[in-house]
Amino acid sequence: MTMTATQPTERPGTTQGYRDPFPRYPIPPGETAMIEVAAAHSNGLTPIVGERTDRAGLVLTPHTTGRVLHYSGLWCLTHIASGARVSPPASLLHTREALLWLENAGVDWDRTAADLHADPAASSTFHELYFALTGARETGRPLVYARTSLVNWPPLWRICHRGIVSPDGYDTYEHAAALAEDAVAAPGGVLHPDAVIHRDEHSPGWGLRCASIGCTDRDSFFPDDWDYGLPIVDSRAAVQQAAWNAGWRGHDETHWTCPDCTRHYH
């Protein structure tokens, strides 16, 4: 099946070619993750553009449905060789999680449909993923968690001068030391050169971070909007209640998702 709608021409080798408002040449494969595949439906095949994945043989595609095919707004994993759906339609975030779920399945999807149908492990994985992803969608939770949410915060570092410990705590020694040096060097600084950096003996409490793959480790913590967006650290009950009030949702004792990620699970 030919997927190219227009006859491609050679891409210009000049910088001007990158700014062409009406390009007539294909983007080199190394500069795009997009790929055209023939998606299978009960009444035949239809061309569709998907995104390559790190699972050989599978591509991430928009879900299409209806008597006259149209996009549903959902996504799925599609087998490149046959065009068959491997995962049930779900949100983009849930479908990306399905890729991670398949990592531990040990199935080689880069085969013909006949080979996959003859492989009991592939058939079992297909059905297990269907029920796992359907269950995650129905309960509004992630299929795969990127991390646990509750973090016991490490003891803080403080500036100590002549036996008096500063009320302000810092996450790293370097941060506290830099502030101590600045205060000593500043005109009228309140610190004396004999100031030392002291570390607390106990944790100040708990932080809460989003467990979804939609958030990065660095940006996943529940922030205090009144304190420059730094993570809120408090007792477990207090930080969980504050997060709930701010639109976070808990899925079990150790996994929460932020409002931005939570909306992708419903």
Side-chain angles (χ1 to χ4, degrees), residues 2-262:
T2 301
M3 296 296 170
T4 304
T6 58
Q7 182 65 31
T9 58
E10 185 176 354
R11 178 182 181 175
T14 64
T15 305
Q16 181 64 33
Y18 291 88
R19 298 194 298 267
D20 189 346
F22 304 106
R24 303 289 293 175
Y25 39 82
I27 297 174
E31 296 180 17
T32 178
M34 301 298 102
I35 181 175
E36 288 182 299
V37 296
H41 295 271
S42 59
N43 57 342
L45 300 173
T46 185
I48 196 168
V49 176
E51 179 183 309
R52 292 186 181 90
T53 72
D54 57 0
R55 304 249 66 79
L58 299 181
V59 65
L60 179 67
T61 62
H63 173 248
T64 54
T65 188
R67 184 179 182 88
V68 177
L69 287 177
H70 61 274
Y71 291 124
S72 68
L74 300 176
W75 296 79
C76 60
L77 298 177
T78 298
H79 182 231
I80 296 175
S82 66
R85 274 207 319 260
V86 174
S87 67
S91 70
L92 180 59
L93 191 55
H94 259 150
T95 306
R96 291 196 184 281
E97 289 175 349
L99 282 169
L100 297 177
W101 188 94
L102 287 173
E103 283 186 359
N104 298 322
V107 174
D108 176 14
W109 298 98
D110 196 15
R111 295 181 286 169
T112 65
D115 286 344
L116 291 172
H117 280 300
D119 183 353
S123 178
S124 176
T125 298
F126 173 84
H127 289 96
E128 288 175 10
L129 175 59
Y130 176 86
F131 288 111
L133 185 49
T134 300
R137 288 194 66 198
E138 290 176 348
T139 55
R141 59 174 172 78
L143 172 66
V144 173
Y145 293 108
R147 59 191 73 84
T148 55
S149 292
L150 284 165
V151 177
N152 191 15
W153 214 258
L156 300 176
W157 297 88
R158 302 181 191 274
I159 302 171
C160 180
H161 176 234
R162 295 180 178 177
I164 300 176
V165 180
S166 68
D168 295 327
Y170 307 96
D171 288 331
T172 66
Y173 172 90
E174 290 77 13
H175 189 186
L179 290 175
E181 291 174 358
D182 290 343
V184 170
V190 297
L191 291 177
H192 191 271
D194 64 359
V196 297
I197 308 302
H198 165 84
R199 193 174 196 188
D200 294 344
E201 295 182 358
H202 304 288
S203 165
W206 296 81
L208 189 72
R209 58 186 178 180
C210 180
S212 171
I213 66 169
C215 278
T216 64
D217 283 326
R218 180 177 180 180
D219 300 325
S220 62
F221 279 96
F222 175 44
D224 185 349
D225 293 334
W226 294 98
D227 192 14
Y228 304 101
L230 295 175
I232 289 180
V233 178
D234 208 329
S235 68
R236 291 180 61 153
V239 73
Q240 287 176 321
Q241 185 61 58
W244 178 269
N245 295 341
W248 287 56
R249 290 298 174 260
H251 304 286
D252 53 41
E253 293 184 357
T254 58
H255 297 103
W256 287 64
T257 50
C258 69
D260 286 343
C261 290
T262 298

